[in-house]
Amino acid sequence: MSTVSIRELSDHVGETVILQGWLTHFRSSGKIHFLVVRDGTGEVQVVVRAGKTVWRGLENLEELEQECALTIEGAVRSDPRAPSGVEVDAVELVRLAPSPHYPIQPKAHGVDFLMEHRHLWVRSPRQAAILRIRARIIQAIRRFLDDHGFILADPPIITPAAAEGTTTLFSLDYFGEPAYLSQSGQLYMEALAMALGRVYAFGPTFRAEKSKTRRHLMEFWMVEPEIAFCQFEENLAWQELLVSFVVQDVLQHMSAELKTIGRDTERLSRVEPPFPRITYDEALERLRAVGLPLTWGEDLGAPHETALAEMFDRPVFLTHFPSTIKAFYMQPDPARPEVVLAADLLAPEGYGEIVGGSERIHDLDLLLQRMKDHNMDPDHYSWYLDLRRYGSVPHSGFGMGVERVVAWVCGLDHVRETIPFARTLNRVWP
Ligand code: 4AD
Ligand code: MG
């Protein structure tokens, strides 16, 4: 007799199989008992009948608690009314482990309570579906990049200097030397692009951002492709291909999970290249027209991003920002040096910036000037400056925040549900 996952049960109709899982729900009606069992792949109803089922590990069925661990031997029967299409008639039921007073009951709990019990909350079908979609998104990102000749190359996580400005660094003591958790692998990816051509980083990044918004985590995962001999336009083309591939892949393969979480996928299905583009200047005009005026040189906030994104039916690139509000390494537009060849990709439906990228400065003197403008000490970046001394070429790259993409694709209110154990401003537990 074989052990079968709940997802595979429909391939075993008419057979007797073994299931392993946890009890999510229990109800009795006279001599018949209905158990809903989950195993991480899905849920199924198991029917236990006095006289037809033997049970072990417990005296009577009333002892079955939510989340107790079970193995069940039973016959698989098709049932068109069941969400999984099948039911199991139990022959034998073994309670492997009890679960007295499980804290998360099938009622509405507050978010703080759920986050406090995140180690258990992840068992709920909705949370498990989100984590499965997250895994699929990561797999799709990597598959796309691997299939297009990008080499996975891992930058360090412990770093000697800031990549994205010094205000959001987590610092640590590296045997008496100051060191920091990486905010972005980009500077190292630039070195690796000069070694390998097309590369990408995929790893955790850290920002001590004192912002308590539904989009910010202190620890988040970022994919960072970097491409040698690549200019601004080609950089945008890679981004729209990647984002479209990921969304279409999820729509195609995760329909059960999207249904579990109740995601309306109508707007996601329109995510295909080309994505619209507007410049920062155009954005300012559009924002003024809807009563959200900004002065040239001011950065956009979440309400501005949301208003702009609402004007389009798919993600929109915002380009040519004033250099003063962007990072030191961004290439100025030759036609208009006060703006940079950078783009933020804004997701629809109020999810804000999901990708940030740019062409990088490849001229040594210009880079030194920009570092001076940003009050940076070139000595802390001497290795990075070497990249401009030895065979420097135009190159570009971008960073996509995995949790922002998961939040958008799943239609979630907050990024805290997009990652197994979120690190937010006021929470490092559990
Ligand atoms: O725009 P950012 O800061 O860009 C960089 O770090 C570049 N060095 C990347 C590169 O070009 N290689 O961050 C990139 C993306 C954002 O668009 C957003 O999706 C995500 O990372 N992100 C965050 N996600 C969750 N919480 C935070 N605190 C985030 N900060 C950025
Ligand atoms: Mg950004």
Side-chain angles (χ1 to χ4, degrees):
M1 202 177 321
S2 56
T3 305
V4 169
S5 72
I6 290 173
R7 182 163 293 223
E8 298 164 335
L9 275 179
S10 52
D11 301 332
H12 295 268
V13 171
E15 296 172 31
T16 299
V17 300
I18 294 172
L19 288 184
Q20 308 181 112
W22 295 264
L23 183 74
T24 58
H25 188 71
F26 176 67
R27 142 179 96 82
S28 294
S29 149
K31 286 190 157 48
I32 306 189
H33 312 275
F34 300 96
L35 282 59
V36 179
V37 176
R38 61 161 194 91
D39 71 348
T41 72
E43 284 189 324
V44 69
Q45 178 155 283
V46 175
V47 184
V48 172
R49 286 185 179 82
K52 295 213 166 155
T53 311
V54 295
W55 51 83
R56 294 193 282 120
L58 71 172
E59 291 285 310
N60 60 66
L61 289 176
E62 274 60 45
E63 286 170 41
L64 286 175
E65 308 116 331
Q66 189 187 342
E67 289 303 316
C68 68
L70 302 168
T71 54
I72 292 153
E73 184 188 317
V76 186
R77 167 169 53 74
S78 98
D79 183 338
R81 289 164 309 171
S84 59
V86 293
E87 266 190 10
V88 173
D89 291 319
V91 178
E92 185 186 69
L93 173 91
V94 182
R95 186 180 69 169
L96 298 174
S99 171
H101 312 295
Y102 186 68
I104 302 179
Q105 293 296 308
K107 64 164 193 184
H109 289 286
V111 164
D112 275 341
F113 179 88
L114 292 169
M115 286 304 286
E116 196 69 15
H117 295 85
R118 182 65 175 168
H119 52 295
L120 302 174
W121 190 24
V122 288
R123 300 184 185 192
S124 81
R126 178 180 167 81
Q127 297 305 314
I130 293 168
L131 296 181
R132 283 176 169 274
I133 294 171
R134 174 190 171 93
R136 184 80 202 189
I137 286 172
I138 291 172
Q139 191 202 85
I141 293 168
R142 297 197 41 175
R143 191 152 23 93
F144 177 90
L145 293 169
D146 292 342
D147 288 351
H148 288 84
F150 287 77
I151 306 299
L152 175 69
D154 307 311
I157 286 172
I158 299 175
T159 58
E164 288 291 316
T166 51
T167 54
T168 65
L169 289 171
F170 279 108
S171 52
L172 48 98
D173 174 3
Y174 196 77
F175 307 110
E177 297 273 320
Y180 310 94
L181 293 179
S182 175
Q183 298 161 311
S184 158
Q186 181 195 316
L187 307 190
Y188 295 95
M189 300 320 287
E190 291 182 55
L192 293 163
M194 300 306 139
L196 296 159
R198 285 178 194 168
V199 292
Y200 72 100
F202 202 115
T205 47
F206 306 87
R207 301 210 183 160
E209 303 208 48
K210 291 261 159 63
S211 28
K212 199 178 161 189
T213 76
R214 56 198 199 89
R215 298 175 183 173
H216 286 90
L217 292 167
M218 306 301 124
E219 176 181 306
F220 63 96
W221 287 68
M222 185 152 55
V223 57
E224 295 186 89
E226 192 70 33
I227 311 150
F229 299 101
C230 172
Q231 288 173 307
F232 181 64
E233 285 296 326
E234 185 188 336
N235 196 31
L236 298 195
W238 282 115
Q239 293 172 47
E240 61 193 8
L241 283 172
L242 172 63
V243 170
S244 304
F245 177 82
V246 169
V247 170
Q248 296 306 328
D249 181 84
V250 171
L251 289 179
Q252 201 180 332
H253 296 281
M254 304 305 282
S255 53
E257 285 79 5
L258 290 165
K259 201 171 148 210
T260 298
I261 63 176
R263 176 61 162 137
D264 174 3
T265 55
E266 207 269 317
R267 289 187 66 175
L268 290 176
S269 62
R270 278 180 260 159
V271 177
E272 282 187 344
F275 295 168
R277 297 165 188 205
I278 54 169
T279 63
Y280 173 87
D281 288 23
E282 240 177 289
L284 253 48
E285 271 172 44
R286 283 173 177 266
L287 288 168
R288 193 173 313 120
V290 296
L292 288 169
L294 284 175
T295 317
W296 201 91
E298 268 186 293
D299 207 353
L300 284 80
H304 308 103
E305 289 184 352
T306 301
L308 286 173
E310 274 313 309
M311 299 171 191
F312 301 91
D313 73 339
R314 61 192 77 194
V316 54
F317 285 115
L318 193 52
T319 69
H320 298 84
F321 296 89
S323 63
T324 46
I325 55 170
K326 285 290 180 187
F328 74 96
Y329 50 71
M330 293 183 177
Q331 176 71 36
D333 183 349
R336 224 187 128 199
E338 70 276 18
V339 300
V340 283
L341 296 177
D344 284 357
L345 183 64
L346 308 182
E349 301 174 68
Y351 285 94
E353 180 196 328
I354 49 171
V355 185
S358 70
E359 186 173 327
R360 323 302 191 188
I361 293 175
H362 63 281
D363 179 78
L364 178 63
D365 293 332
L366 180 56
L367 189 58
L368 281 166
Q369 182 56 49
R370 279 295 153 96
M371 292 177 88
K372 215 172 129 198
D373 297 343
H374 280 79
N375 295 316
M376 295 165 68
D377 183 350
D379 288 347
H380 293 164
Y381 297 87
S382 56
W383 68 266
Y384 183 64
L385 294 168
D386 272 355
L387 307 178
R388 277 71 184 172
R389 292 194 177 100
Y390 306 111
S392 187
V393 297
H395 61 287
S396 302
F398 58 94
M400 180 162 95
V402 170
E403 290 74 22
R404 298 261 181 100
V405 174
V406 175
W408 165 47
V409 170
C410 292
L412 306 178
D413 289 341
H414 200 292
V415 284
R416 66 183 157 230
E417 288 181 50
T418 62
I419 184 166
F421 294 95
R423 295 291 169 248
T424 52
L425 196 51
N426 44 22
R427 181 175 291 286
V428 282
W429 174 271

